[in-house]
Amino acid sequence: MDLPELIVDLGLILMAAAVMTLLFKWLKQPIVLGYLIAGFLVGPHFHFLPTIHDEENIHTWSQIGVIFMLFGLGLEFSFRKLTHVGKTAAITATFEIICMIVAGYVIGRIIGWDTMSSLFLGAILSMSSTTIIVKAFSEQNLKGINFASVVFGVLIVEDLIAILLLVLLGSIAVTQHLSGTALISSSLKLVFFLILWFLLGIYLLPVFFRICRKVLTDEILLIVAMALCFMMVIVAVKVGFSAALGAFVMGSLLAETVKGSKIEELIVPVKDLFSAIFFVSVGLLIDPKILVEYFNIIILLTAITIVGKFFGTAIGALISGCNVKSSMQSGMSMAQIGEFSFIIASLGMTLKVTDARLYPIAVAVSAITTFTTPYLIKYSGVIADSLERRIPERVKQSLLRYELTMRDTGKRGIVGLIWKVHGIKILLNSVIIVAITLACRYAAAPFIAAPIVGENFVQTQTTILNYIMWLAAVILSAPFVWAIFISRPPRSGDYDTETVALLQRLYFGVSIVRLFIGFALVAFIFSNFLPIYASSGLILIPFVVLALVLFSNYFEPVYHKIETQFITHLTEKEKEEIASKAKLSNLAPWNVTLTEFRLSQNSSLVAKSLKEAKLRNRFGVIVAMIERGNVRFIPPKGEDLLLPFDKIFMLGTDAQLAAARNEIEKDQANEPEVTEVEEIGLMPVLLDAEHPFVGLMVLECGIRELAGGLIVGIERGVRRQLNPMPEMVLEANDLLWIVGNKDSIKQLQNKRFEFTSATNIYQNTMVDYSGY
């Protein structure tokens, strides 16, 4: 009995992928590159090994791979991360993508490609590879460094822009021309559906998981997550978007739930399997003849990618307020193309609007830049230092002043304040009102009317059912219309006194704008169901005002109940993470203990420097502080000497500290008794979004001056960093573990301290955090 060709082809793909991944792992090269070569080896252009039979089936499997890749990216993304990446990532990513799209388009036209192929080429060159960058950073232990945080933020924004590009390029490919109106229409449609799916997902998914929590085993949770993913894929395709967008959105929604981390963990093997099939299917298209024939174009595009992304990212980062070195290192880290580029290229091939040579050329450029990326990242610091030394001192000072100005102008302006207090609520309520209206007209009404008047009900504008649907839309939308029309003045306690006074002065103007928006939305509801004369202002305004006044006592509690439930669901995961961290508030992080030792005069460590003592290398402990009489060394430096009767405060596990004790307190029976110092301790500080430390590097916080101590550990989600690097950037919801004066640390917990300005921070010298 013969096996179906699909099984044989899948077996060939997986066997080739397995061999190449083992080889590339041994060679310490990116596994993605191994997948591409595996695809070439079993593809139609290599004749020395068995070749796959049915490329169409493999294409279907690769499409599933795209869905799982985007679903996984969505799980890592989450909408909340958008609020954390800040202006630096947004400005940098936007500037870099615009530069690369323009450069790609111009190069495409120069080499003779048509408008559509050139546009796709620009989009392909604008997308960096999250997979390659994350792998390179992990292998070189660079996560948490200042420029790495900038790069990760840029990648988050790039992912979002890539989704937008998929929608826009698909729309342009269908219409076969670049129309400003079509672009605006597609963008608004995308924003509307993203917000709508976000609202529905945040409101409904937590309820669903709460109801099913008793039966959600790992197996069932995985199946449910897959079902939700493909449900959103179907919905996205039905409303005119791509399957990739639907998968990404559902992943982002699930990431906001308490089950998000567990789903991300469960989905990894499935995602890895189908991602491998996708990359192997990309390798099938590698044609050596095309590579040889268009070798010059491949080298040109590779150079454009490396140079263009370096300058685009570096200049964008400088504009956003990063220092010169971090900007250059960020640019060198982003100099490659990867998985999203393949997805964009496959979209062009599927729609048959791009040159057939574009895909294999893009694959070749990706392969070359995949090889170069680890080396560019590894030597980015050296190259950045070399280039920075060549910058004139006058230019350096101008850049430093600009950087400090950008950092010091972090306060929200009037427009930003109005957006935060009023704009977000108006936007979300407007989307809900429009969605309810469209659902009643285009979904509920035809569904109810189909058995009665057939499929042409929508063209019948004045039936009784039409009025019933209008009434249903009005009733369902009423609480949200009320929330737009009726705006309570800000009260003391909502914000600080200065902000409340400012908002009260702006209240009249904001109220006028809300009224106009409210009337426009009511007119939208009326015009979708009633004759045009019934929607005129003379008839509309009195009824709207009267209804809002008469039923205000009903609308207000209904709306506030919905709003409270939504906010509870939105913050549920964050509260759970904070609660789990709070349980550890009286414990040292990661089972380590802060212990005080008195150095014996008989110890072999006496008169040695910390670097010579090698306490960390020998015992695994971290020296947090040395106390000598009234003098404290926080944090101690490598050249600091150890003298008899020094008090040494060390962090370590029980076993590590026990081993160190034998060396430090050798023959100490007749020496002065050690007395406990209650004021020194190891305590946690949880950074909320408003904490002054958020966005600063460890060395900029001035912990030594503020609390007489140092940061010895940082918890960020499930990741833990003991003895963090001084360049590590602190983020909201980080849990800091600080050794120092307990009373001072409590002030840091309550944010009751005077914080040094950015200018003074930069004048501080960097301390040695090596924890000898």
Side-chain angles (χ1 to χ4, degrees):
M1 179 179 176
D2 293 333
L3 282 174
E5 289 184 349
L6 175 62
I7 297 179
V8 175
D9 289 345
L10 187 59
L12 285 174
I13 283 178
L14 294 180
M15 284 187 289
V19 171
M20 296 310 299
T21 51
L22 289 172
L23 176 62
F24 274 70
K25 189 70 175 178
W26 180 66
L27 294 173
K28 296 183 179 180
Q29 295 299 323
I31 291 177
V32 171
L33 203 55
Y35 290 144
L36 296 177
I37 295 177
F40 167 70
L41 293 178
V42 297
H45 306 293
F46 188 82
H47 305 293
F48 300 100
L49 290 175
T51 303
I52 63 168
H53 299 86
D54 192 341
E55 292 187 32
E56 191 62 36
N57 279 333
I58 300 304
H59 178 70
T60 302
W61 284 99
S62 71
Q63 291 300 308
I64 298 175
V66 171
I67 290 172
F68 279 110
M69 285 175 59
L70 270 295
F71 185 55
L73 279 174
L75 285 168
E76 297 171 7
F77 172 81
S78 91
F79 285 94
R80 190 179 289 111
K81 282 188 179 179
L82 278 178
T83 63
H84 295 163
V85 296
K87 69 177 186 299
T88 298
I91 294 173
T92 305
T94 304
F95 185 85
E96 178 256 325
I97 288 173
I98 291 173
C99 288
M100 293 307 299
I101 289 177
V102 172
Y105 179 81
V106 171
I107 293 297
R109 298 297 287 168
I110 289 174
I111 62 180
W113 287 350
D114 60 24
T115 300
M116 201 62 64
S117 295
S118 301
L119 195 57
F120 270 81
L121 174 62
I124 288 169
L125 298 184
S126 69
M127 293 293 115
S128 297
S129 173
T130 302
T131 304
I132 302 302
I133 293 174
V134 170
K135 181 174 176 59
F137 279 1
S138 298
E139 290 176 348
Q140 299 181 34
N141 197 26
L142 293 175
K143 287 186 176 181
I145 305 301
N146 186 29
F147 84 91
S149 299
V150 173
V151 170
F152 286 138
V154 171
L155 289 173
I156 290 171
V157 178
E158 267 198 2
D159 288 345
L160 191 63
I161 295 177
I163 294 296
L164 177 61
L165 283 176
L166 286 173
V167 175
L168 296 181
L169 289 172
S171 175
I172 294 170
V174 171
T175 58
Q176 286 296 310
H177 69 281
L178 187 62
S179 167
T181 304
L183 287 178
I184 294 173
S185 175
S186 297
S187 300
L188 291 176
K189 182 181 176 183
L190 174 63
V191 171
F192 171 78
F193 277 103
L194 284 177
I195 295 174
L196 178 61
W197 288 332
F198 171 72
L199 292 171
L200 291 175
I202 295 300
Y203 200 85
L204 298 177
L205 286 176
V207 176
F208 172 76
F209 284 127
R210 198 177 299 121
I211 293 172
C212 302
R213 66 182 181 277
K214 292 183 179 179
V215 297
L216 282 179
T217 62
D218 287 356
E219 178 185 0
I220 295 175
L221 182 59
L222 176 61
I223 298 301
V224 168
M226 293 294 92
L228 290 171
C229 171
F230 281 92
M231 178 194 74
M232 184 57 78
V233 166
I234 295 170
V235 171
V237 172
K238 289 290 184 183
V239 296
F241 295 119
S242 67
L245 175 63
F248 182 84
V249 169
M250 182 50 70
S252 301
L253 294 176
L254 289 173
E256 303 291 348
T257 68
V258 294
K259 297 293 184 181
S261 299
K262 187 63 179 177
I263 293 172
E264 185 178 358
E265 177 186 334
L266 294 173
I267 203 70
V268 168
V270 183
K271 182 187 74 172
D272 289 346
L273 172 63
F274 284 99
S275 297
I277 295 174
F278 169 75
F279 285 116
V280 171
S281 71
V282 172
L284 296 174
L285 299 172
I286 297 178
D287 186 348
K289 293 180 181 178
I290 291 181
L291 300 187
V292 172
E293 184 179 355
Y294 298 101
F295 178 78
N296 293 335
I297 294 178
I298 292 171
I299 297 301
L300 173 64
L301 293 180
T302 300
I304 291 294
T305 299
I306 295 175
V307 176
K309 279 187 166 290
F310 169 69
F311 281 104
T313 304
I315 295 173
L318 284 172
I319 293 172
S320 70
C322 289
N323 60 53
V324 175
K325 183 175 181 179
S326 293
S327 299
M328 291 182 180
Q329 288 182 288
S330 300
M332 297 182 75
S333 302
M334 300 287 291
Q336 79 291 122
I337 62 175
E339 52 274 7
F340 253 125
S341 300
F342 296 148
I343 294 170
I344 292 172
S346 65
L347 174 67
M349 283 192 62
T350 303
L351 297 175
K352 298 183 175 160
V353 294
T354 57
D355 193 295
R357 299 165 293 179
L358 177 59
Y359 204 129
I361 288 175
V363 172
V365 173
S366 174
I368 296 172
T369 54
T370 296
F371 267 126
T372 60
T373 294
Y375 300 103
L376 288 173
I377 293 175
K378 182 177 181 178
Y379 297 108
S380 62
V382 176
I383 296 173
D385 288 336
S386 176
L387 292 175
E388 189 174 11
R389 284 194 294 270
R390 288 169 170 74
I391 299 175
E393 192 61 33
R394 204 166 167 185
V395 177
K396 284 185 184 178
Q397 292 301 320
S398 298
L399 290 172
L400 179 60
R401 285 193 297 271
Y402 176 80
E403 177 188 348
L404 295 177
T405 302
M406 289 295 289
R407 282 177 176 262
D408 289 337
T409 54
K411 292 185 178 179
R412 193 183 298 272
I414 292 178
V415 175
L417 181 62
I418 293 175
W419 170 254
K420 179 181 177 181
V421 177
H422 300 285
I424 295 175
K425 185 178 289 189
I426 291 173
L427 175 63
L428 297 182
N429 285 316
S430 299
V431 168
I432 293 173
I433 293 167
V434 172
I436 290 173
T437 304
L438 295 179
C440 287
R441 178 177 179 181
Y442 294 106
F447 178 77
I448 296 172
I452 305 172
V453 294
E455 296 179 356
N456 295 324
F457 171 76
V458 175
Q459 280 73 38
T460 309
Q461 296 293 322
T462 56
T463 62
I464 296 176
L465 188 56
N466 212 15
Y467 284 98
I468 294 174
M469 287 296 101
W470 164 76
L471 185 61
V474 169
I475 294 173
L476 293 174
S477 303
F480 308 102
V481 175
W482 174 89
I484 292 177
F485 271 107
I486 309 299
S487 171
R488 303 294 185 193
R491 304 163 185 169
S492 58
D494 295 342
Y495 306 95
D496 58 79
T497 306
E498 182 181 349
T499 302
V500 170
L502 177 61
L503 289 172
Q504 287 176 342
R505 291 196 297 270
L506 296 170
Y507 180 69
F508 175 78
V510 171
S511 299
I512 296 297
V513 174
R514 294 177 78 114
L515 287 174
F516 274 107
I517 294 173
F519 283 130
L521 289 168
V522 173
F524 176 79
I525 298 172
F526 276 54
S527 63
N528 269 276
F529 298 97
L530 302 182
I532 190 63
Y533 63 82
S535 301
S536 62
L538 294 176
I539 299 175
L540 179 64
I541 293 176
F543 283 105
V544 170
V545 174
L546 182 61
L548 289 174
V549 172
L550 291 178
F551 296 100
S552 181
N553 291 334
Y554 167 75
F555 297 142
E556 184 173 7
V558 171
Y559 176 78
H560 285 310
K561 183 177 180 180
I562 295 172
E563 184 182 48
T564 302
Q565 189 74 9
F566 176 80
I567 293 173
T568 300
H569 291 170
L570 182 63
T571 58
E572 185 177 19
K573 181 180 180 181
E574 189 175 2
K575 287 179 179 177
E576 186 174 279
E577 291 174 352
I578 293 174
S580 64
K581 289 180 180 179
K583 294 177 183 177
L584 302 174
S585 59
N586 296 319
L587 302 175
W590 320 301
N591 299 319
V592 300
T593 307
L594 177 67
T595 303
E596 174 193 339
F597 296 101
R598 178 71 67 91
L599 183 63
S600 167
Q601 62 184 4
N602 299 316
S603 173
S604 61
L605 302 178
V606 170
K608 288 186 177 180
S609 68
L610 275 178
K611 185 175 290 187
E612 293 170 335
K614 298 180 179 179
L615 291 173
R616 184 169 189 180
N617 291 338
R618 294 167 60 191
F619 307 113
V621 296
I622 295 175
V623 179
M625 183 180 76
I626 298 175
E627 186 173 86
R628 183 176 301 151
N630 295 324
V631 179
R632 289 174 178 167
F633 300 90
I634 305 178
K637 298 181 180 179
E639 58 268 20
D640 289 337
L641 293 177
L642 297 172
L643 300 179
F645 311 124
D646 279 352
K647 293 180 182 179
I648 306 175
F649 292 80
M650 294 193 299
L651 279 168
T653 64
D654 292 341
Q656 291 169 340
L657 294 171
R661 181 188 298 276
N662 295 330
E663 181 66 35
I664 295 171
E665 297 183 343
K666 185 178 182 181
D667 300 330
Q668 195 166 255
N670 298 322
E671 294 183 6
E673 183 180 350
V674 177
T675 56
E676 284 198 32
V677 182
E678 293 292 338
E679 62 185 89
I680 299 297
L682 175 67
M683 298 178 66
V685 175
L686 182 63
L687 305 186
D688 59 27
E690 305 298 327
H691 200 286
F693 288 170
V694 173
L696 297 180
M697 291 184 286
V698 169
L699 66 92
E700 295 176 325
C701 295
I703 298 296
R704 181 165 57 177
E705 292 76 16
L706 294 172
L710 77 158
I711 299 173
V712 295
I714 298 176
E715 291 187 39
R716 179 172 295 166
V718 297
R719 203 178 75 192
R720 296 169 170 179
Q721 178 69 47
L722 196 61
N723 194 29
M725 297 291 290
E727 297 90 355
M728 185 172 182
V729 178
L730 302 179
E731 299 178 359
N733 298 320
D734 279 354
L735 184 66
L736 311 184
W737 289 94
I738 301 176
V739 172
N741 183 282
K742 291 182 180 179
D743 292 334
S744 298
I745 297 176
K746 288 178 181 177
Q747 292 180 352
L748 296 180
Q749 291 172 333
N750 299 323
K751 295 182 284 189
R752 296 174 181 170
F753 60 95
E754 294 185 6
F755 189 63
T756 311
S757 69
T759 305
N760 293 330
I761 287 171
Y762 270 82
Q763 294 171 351
N764 291 342
T765 56
M766 185 183 298
V767 295
D768 185 355
Y769 280 81
S770 53
Y772 293 97

